[in-house]
Short mmCIF file of all heavy atoms in Angstrom, two decimals:
data_model
loop_
_atom_site.label_atom_id
_atom_site.label_comp_id
_atom_site.label_asym_id
_atom_site.label_seq_id
_atom_site.Cartn_x
_atom_site.Cartn_y
_atom_site.Cartn_z
N LEU Y 294 102.51 -38.75 80.82
CA LEU Y 294 101.91 -39.50 81.86
C LEU Y 294 100.42 -39.70 81.50
O LEU Y 294 99.80 -40.75 81.73
CB LEU Y 294 101.99 -38.83 83.17
CG LEU Y 294 103.47 -38.83 83.81
CD1 LEU Y 294 103.48 -37.80 84.97
CD2 LEU Y 294 103.70 -40.18 84.26
N ARG Y 295 99.77 -38.70 80.98
CA ARG Y 295 98.35 -38.82 80.60
C ARG Y 295 98.18 -39.96 79.55
O ARG Y 295 97.31 -40.74 79.63
CB ARG Y 295 97.84 -37.47 79.96
CG ARG Y 295 96.36 -37.50 79.67
CD ARG Y 295 95.88 -36.30 78.90
NE ARG Y 295 96.53 -36.19 77.67
CZ ARG Y 295 96.18 -36.95 76.58
NH1 ARG Y 295 95.16 -37.78 76.72
NH2 ARG Y 295 96.75 -36.81 75.44
N ARG Y 296 99.09 -39.95 78.56
CA ARG Y 296 98.97 -40.99 77.49
C ARG Y 296 99.31 -42.33 78.11
O ARG Y 296 98.70 -43.31 77.73
CB ARG Y 296 100.06 -40.60 76.40
CG ARG Y 296 99.62 -39.49 75.51
CD ARG Y 296 100.33 -39.54 74.18
NE ARG Y 296 101.79 -39.44 74.45
CZ ARG Y 296 102.53 -38.26 74.34
NH1 ARG Y 296 101.85 -37.14 74.16
NH2 ARG Y 296 103.73 -38.25 74.46
N ALA Y 297 100.18 -42.40 79.04
CA ALA Y 297 100.59 -43.65 79.64
C ALA Y 297 99.42 -44.30 80.38
O ALA Y 297 99.31 -45.51 80.38
CB ALA Y 297 101.79 -43.53 80.62
N THR Y 298 98.55 -43.51 80.98
CA THR Y 298 97.42 -44.07 81.76
C THR Y 298 96.41 -44.72 80.81
O THR Y 298 95.68 -45.65 81.20
CB THR Y 298 96.63 -42.99 82.45
OG1 THR Y 298 96.10 -42.02 81.51
CG2 THR Y 298 97.44 -42.27 83.46
N HIS Y 299 96.42 -44.50 79.51
CA HIS Y 299 95.59 -45.21 78.56
C HIS Y 299 96.17 -46.52 78.03
O HIS Y 299 95.56 -47.30 77.37
CB HIS Y 299 95.34 -44.34 77.34
CG HIS Y 299 94.55 -43.06 77.69
ND1 HIS Y 299 93.29 -43.11 78.12
CD2 HIS Y 299 94.92 -41.79 77.58
CE1 HIS Y 299 92.83 -41.90 78.30
NE2 HIS Y 299 93.79 -41.08 78.03
N ARG Y 300 97.41 -46.80 78.55
CA ARG Y 300 97.94 -48.10 78.14
C ARG Y 300 97.89 -49.07 79.30
O ARG Y 300 98.91 -49.69 79.73
CB ARG Y 300 99.45 -47.89 77.72
CG ARG Y 300 99.61 -46.97 76.52
CD ARG Y 300 101.01 -46.98 76.01
NE ARG Y 300 101.16 -46.14 74.80
CZ ARG Y 300 101.65 -44.94 74.85
NH1 ARG Y 300 102.06 -44.43 75.96
NH2 ARG Y 300 101.74 -44.28 73.71
N GLN Y 301 96.77 -49.15 79.95
CA GLN Y 301 96.61 -49.98 81.13
C GLN Y 301 96.51 -51.47 80.77
O GLN Y 301 95.93 -51.79 79.64
CB GLN Y 301 95.37 -49.50 81.94
CG GLN Y 301 95.58 -48.12 82.43
CD GLN Y 301 94.37 -47.78 83.41
OE1 GLN Y 301 93.64 -48.57 83.80
NE2 GLN Y 301 94.31 -46.44 83.68
N GLU Y 302 96.88 -52.28 81.62
CA GLU Y 302 96.71 -53.70 81.57
C GLU Y 302 97.18 -54.23 80.19
O GLU Y 302 96.45 -55.09 79.59
CB GLU Y 302 95.26 -54.06 81.79
CG GLU Y 302 94.83 -53.80 83.22
CD GLU Y 302 93.46 -54.42 83.58
OE1 GLU Y 302 92.67 -54.68 82.55
OE2 GLU Y 302 93.15 -54.47 84.72
N LYS Y 303 98.32 -53.80 79.75
CA LYS Y 303 98.91 -54.35 78.53
C LYS Y 303 99.68 -55.63 78.89
O LYS Y 303 100.20 -55.78 79.90
CB LYS Y 303 99.91 -53.36 77.90
CG LYS Y 303 99.25 -52.12 77.43
CD LYS Y 303 100.21 -51.30 76.65
CE LYS Y 303 100.60 -51.86 75.33
NZ LYS Y 303 101.50 -51.00 74.56
N SER Y 304 99.62 -56.59 77.94
CA SER Y 304 100.24 -57.85 78.23
C SER Y 304 101.72 -57.66 78.08
O SER Y 304 102.24 -57.14 77.13
CB SER Y 304 99.79 -58.85 77.10
OG SER Y 304 99.23 -60.00 77.70
N SER Y 305 102.47 -58.14 79.06
CA SER Y 305 103.99 -58.12 78.93
C SER Y 305 104.55 -59.53 79.06
O SER Y 305 104.30 -60.19 80.10
CB SER Y 305 104.46 -57.18 80.15
OG SER Y 305 105.83 -57.20 80.09
N ARG Y 306 105.35 -59.91 78.05
CA ARG Y 306 105.97 -61.22 78.16
C ARG Y 306 107.35 -61.06 78.77
O ARG Y 306 108.22 -60.40 78.28
CB ARG Y 306 106.21 -61.82 76.79
CG ARG Y 306 104.86 -62.27 76.22
CD ARG Y 306 105.09 -62.74 74.82
NE ARG Y 306 103.79 -63.02 74.16
CZ ARG Y 306 103.02 -62.13 73.68
NH1 ARG Y 306 103.39 -60.85 73.70
NH2 ARG Y 306 101.87 -62.38 73.14
N VAL Y 307 107.53 -61.61 79.91
CA VAL Y 307 108.85 -61.59 80.65
C VAL Y 307 109.22 -63.08 81.02
O VAL Y 307 108.42 -63.74 81.76
CB VAL Y 307 108.72 -60.70 81.87
CG1 VAL Y 307 110.09 -60.72 82.59
CG2 VAL Y 307 108.36 -59.26 81.58
N GLY Y 308 110.34 -63.51 80.54
CA GLY Y 308 110.75 -64.81 80.91
C GLY Y 308 109.83 -65.86 80.37
O GLY Y 308 109.71 -66.98 80.94
N GLY Y 309 109.14 -65.62 79.22
CA GLY Y 309 108.24 -66.56 78.65
C GLY Y 309 106.94 -66.75 79.37
O GLY Y 309 106.07 -67.51 78.89
N VAL Y 310 106.67 -65.87 80.30
CA VAL Y 310 105.36 -65.93 81.07
C VAL Y 310 104.66 -64.66 80.82
O VAL Y 310 105.13 -63.58 80.82
CB VAL Y 310 105.66 -66.09 82.59
CG1 VAL Y 310 104.28 -66.13 83.32
CG2 VAL Y 310 106.40 -67.42 82.88
N CYS Y 311 103.37 -64.75 80.49
CA CYS Y 311 102.57 -63.56 80.27
C CYS Y 311 102.07 -62.97 81.57
O CYS Y 311 101.52 -63.77 82.44
CB CYS Y 311 101.25 -63.98 79.43
SG CYS Y 311 101.70 -64.19 77.63
N ALA Y 312 102.43 -61.79 81.81
CA ALA Y 312 101.99 -61.11 83.09
C ALA Y 312 101.15 -59.87 82.74
O ALA Y 312 101.43 -59.26 81.69
CB ALA Y 312 103.12 -60.66 83.89
N ARG Y 313 100.25 -59.48 83.58
CA ARG Y 313 99.44 -58.35 83.27
C ARG Y 313 100.11 -57.07 83.94
O ARG Y 313 100.44 -57.18 85.13
CB ARG Y 313 98.02 -58.43 83.75
CG ARG Y 313 97.21 -59.67 83.34
CD ARG Y 313 97.02 -59.63 81.81
NE ARG Y 313 96.19 -58.52 81.40
CZ ARG Y 313 95.97 -58.36 80.18
NH1 ARG Y 313 96.35 -59.13 79.17
NH2 ARG Y 313 95.15 -57.26 79.83
#
Side-chain angles (χ1 to χ4, degrees):
L294 290 167
R295 184 189 65 78
R296 288 198 298 265
T298 61
H299 294 295
R300 298 190 179 102
Q301 296 184 14
E302 294 188 342
K303 294 185 72 176
S304 233
S305 175
R306 289 177 187 77
V307 179
V310 178
C311 286
R313 303 300 293 180

